[in-house]
Amino acid sequence: MQKPSNALNRISFATWIGAAAALVCLGSGAGDSRAAPVSPQIWLGGVDPVVRSSMDPNGASDFMDLFEAKAPWERAASQVKVFQASTQFFSKAPDDMLRRLFEDLNRRHIAVALGALMLSGDGQCGFGIEGYSAPRQMLAIAKRISKLGGTLSYVAMDGPLMGGHFYSGPRACRSSVEAIAREVADKIKQMRSVFPSLQVGEIEPLGITEPPDWSKTLVEWTQAYKSAVGEPMAFVHFDVQWRGPWAPQLRDLESRLRADGTRVGVVYNGFGADKTDQEWVQHAEEHFNLLERDHSLVPEDVIIQTWNRHPVHFLPENQPGTLTNLVISYATKRGTAR
């Protein structure tokens, strides 16, 4: 998630205690209601040049090297179904950069996803808060993508519940879930005037202990969304606080969301404090191995993505510590690597 606020980065002492409960829950053996083993759909994303320049003005990025004809990620690319980039990138990147991305992803049969800032506030609240952008920015992005020859297949709303309802810091809107749903529904209608088949879901945190009613309110929010939009969310992707009580929360929310026809996804990542690419990737591997010990928790969508300074490198796929190498590591674990 794109994180200008610290709403999702606070981990209380209770959250650390909750990690032990998560590990116990992994061994509890709750049944899997799915009829067949899951073959997860892999999404790939990372820090694009626009966001990287704001994080580190002098930092280098090989993000655009992914879209060269002979870029060294053929094996990884064959596993990736969706590539996600930020609102900032689709708004500010030069036209030729976007055309190159669209042409190459189309050649590789990889769909495009937007990490979308779908809330706008009322002019008095929301500025600089996670999940917020200008009132017509999402429509402008959809039109720009279409004009430059791209097809937008997915919108992953960036934390509308946490940023729009729960965040209580400066300029907080503290909107009701119903108000958020109505605003989101209007933005979706605008974007579907350009891309009628657009699938919409969201990214929200998991494994947090504050607010205490997080899971209950998230379910209420998905139902408010369903009422306002006229359909359930296509997916919910969880940005997991790995030292928190994520396992019991995931088990509970997976069953509730799947009952409504919503795909469940998990972002497999490292920690923001990791000092090297290798350290971040090692932690990401530990996280997917830990979660998938229990096959009932295996998500439908697996998101290999960083919002942190590391990993800096996407390429090459045969170099440990790169994001494309992490894709291959995960696909190898699942037995799908070619």
Side-chain angles (χ1 to χ4, degrees):
M1 301 170 73
Q2 301 153 61
K3 299 179 180 177
S5 77
N6 65 354
L8 306 185
N9 294 326
R10 299 190 300 267
I11 300 178
S12 65
F13 177 74
T15 300
W16 286 83
I17 296 299
L23 290 173
V24 170
C25 187
L26 281 174
S28 64
D32 186 355
S33 61
R34 292 171 289 184
V38 173
S39 179
Q41 174 177 262
I42 298 178
W43 294 43
L44 176 64
V47 180
D48 58 66
V50 174
V51 174
R52 176 72 64 184
S53 66
S54 67
M55 293 171 63
D56 182 3
N58 299 315
S61 171
D62 65 356
F63 178 94
M64 289 305 301
D65 294 342
L66 288 165
F67 313 113
E68 298 287 351
K70 296 184 179 180
W73 68 300
E74 288 296 326
R75 288 183 66 207
S78 72
Q79 301 296 316
V80 173
K81 300 302 182 185
V82 183
F83 188 89
Q84 180 173 317
S86 69
T87 288
Q88 295 91 323
F89 181 72
F90 286 119
S91 295
K92 298 179 180 180
D95 287 356
D96 60 345
M97 190 177 285
L98 291 180
R99 286 194 186 97
R100 188 168 128 204
L101 178 146
F102 297 142
E103 290 170 1
D104 190 71
L105 292 180
N106 183 61
R107 175 179 69 85
R108 297 181 189 275
H109 306 290
I110 297 174
V112 174
L114 164 67
L117 311 179
M118 294 288 275
L119 303 179
S120 297
D122 59 7
Q124 302 299 315
C125 69
F127 180 77
I129 296 174
E130 180 177 358
Y132 286 79
S133 65
R136 306 286 285 182
Q137 190 169 3
M138 296 301 102
L139 176 60
I141 287 174
K143 288 181 175 179
R144 188 181 189 210
I145 290 172
S146 178
K147 180 182 177 181
L148 296 176
T151 298
L152 183 62
S153 298
Y154 297 93
V155 160
M157 301 183 291
D158 188 4
L161 180 61
M162 178 58 80
H165 179 69
F166 281 114
Y167 175 69
S168 60
R171 299 182 297 276
C173 291
R174 298 303 301 270
S175 303
S176 69
V177 293
E178 293 80 11
I180 295 170
R182 289 192 297 270
E183 182 174 2
V184 163
D186 182 61
K187 300 282 178 62
I188 293 171
K189 183 178 179 180
Q190 293 175 25
M191 299 180 81
R192 283 181 172 164
S193 71
V194 184
F195 295 108
S197 300
L198 193 63
Q199 296 189 48
V200 181
E202 68 165 339
I203 311 163
E204 294 285 0
L206 186 80
I208 58 176
T209 57
E210 298 175 5
D213 59 345
W214 171 248
S215 295
K216 175 177 176 289
T217 308
L218 191 147
V219 172
E220 292 173 355
W221 147 239
T222 61
Q223 294 308 302
Y225 172 98
K226 182 179 179 180
S227 177
V229 179
E231 65 188 38
M233 286 187 196
F235 57 87
V236 174
H237 291 169
F238 289 116
D239 180 14
V240 178
Q241 300 290 345
W242 293 104
R243 296 186 176 106
W246 56 266
Q249 290 181 12
L250 180 59
R251 192 181 306 285
D252 175 53
L253 288 168
E254 276 189 331
S255 63
R256 292 170 181 259
L257 293 169
R258 287 176 180 143
D260 217 16
T262 297
R263 293 171 64 89
V264 174
V266 173
V267 181
Y268 288 144
N269 52 12
F271 296 112
D274 289 335
K275 301 299 184 184
T276 65
D277 290 4
Q278 290 78 8
E279 184 180 15
W280 190 98
V281 167
Q282 179 182 341
H283 284 140
E285 291 178 341
E286 290 171 359
H287 294 152
F288 69 62
N289 283 319
L290 175 64
L291 187 146
E292 296 193 13
R293 286 179 190 172
D294 184 341
H295 71 87
S296 72
L297 294 180
V298 176
E300 286 90 353
D301 295 341
V302 161
I303 303 91
I304 304 294
Q305 184 167 16
T306 180
W307 296 284
N308 309 128
R309 290 184 179 274
H310 297 284
V312 173
H313 299 289
F314 284 83
L315 300 168
E317 66 181 6
N318 62 355
Q319 178 177 307
T322 68
L323 281 169
T324 52
N325 184 262
L326 181 59
V327 170
I328 291 176
S329 294
Y330 179 77
T332 299
K333 171 185 170 57
R334 297 298 307 172
T336 61
R338 295 190 291 271

